Amino acid sequence: QVQLVESGGGLVQPGGSLTLSCVVSGSIFSIVAKGWYRQAPGKERELVGFITSGGSSNYADSVKGRFTIPRDGAKNTVYLQMNSLKPEDTAVYYCNARGYTDYKSHTFDDWWGQGTQVTVSS
C-alpha cells in the first residue's frame, strides 16, 4: 500500500512563510510527478502546482512567484515552500504523487495525502 503523510500546516500571518512536507511510503517503482492541490471553504479543489521527473513544472497563476515545489531533498518527500502568504491562500492542502508501482505497470497511479490546514490571518 502507498501512503502519503502530510505535515507543516498551521496558522501564519499575512506576508509570512510556511513549508509543507509530504512523506511518501510503500511499494513504488518510480514517481514521475509531484504536486499539491488545495481546497478553500465553499470552493472547488484546485491545482497549486506540480513538477515532473522530466524537468517541467507548472503553477497556478495565483501562486506563481510565491510558491515553489523544490526538486532537491529526500526523494520520498514532496515539499511546498510558500512565501508572501495571503489570506486567500487559506485552504486545506493536499499532496499528490503520480507514478508506477512496478516496472511492469502500463498505467500511472495517483496517490493522495490526507490534507493539512493552512490558515493565513492576522
Side-chain angles (χ1 to χ4, degrees), residues 7-20 82 85-91 93 116-122:
S7 63
L11 176 64
V12 63
Q13 294 185 350
S17 300
L18 202 64
T19 298
L20 306 182
M82 303 182 290
L85 283 162
K86 305 174 181 179
E88 49 263 46
D89 294 319
T90 296
Y93 285 71
T116 185
Q117 177 71 47
V118 173
T119 302
V120 184
S121 176
S122 59

Side-chain angles (χ1 to χ4, degrees), residues 4-7 36 45 92-95 112-117:
L4 282 68
V5 180
E6 303 177 7
S7 63
W36 291 86
R45 184 176 299 188
V92 177
Y93 285 71
Y94 300 88
C95 65
W112 294 89
Q114 80 282 3
T116 185
Q117 177 71 47

Side-chain angles (χ1 to χ4, degrees), residues 99-121:
Y100 298 99
T101 55
D102 62 74
Y103 74 96
K104 295 183 292 185
S105 298
H106 294 164
T107 58
F108 296 132
D109 287 326
D110 280 293
W111 306 292
W112 294 89
Q114 80 282 3
T116 185
Q117 177 71 47
V118 173
T119 302
V120 184
S121 176

Side-chain angles (χ1 to χ4, degrees), residues 5-58:
V5 180
E6 303 177 7
S7 63
L11 176 64
V12 63
Q13 294 185 350
S17 300
L18 202 64
T19 298
L20 306 182
S21 299
C22 177
V23 178
V24 183
S25 64
S27 182
I28 300 175
F29 178 71
S30 66
I31 297 175
V32 299
K34 304 176 182 179
W36 291 86
Y37 290 72
R38 68 184 183 185
Q39 187 169 22
K43 299 182 66 177
E44 297 282 337
R45 184 176 299 188
E46 64 177 353
L47 175 70
V48 176
F50 69 86
I51 59 173
T52 72
S53 61
S56 65
S57 63
N58 193 31

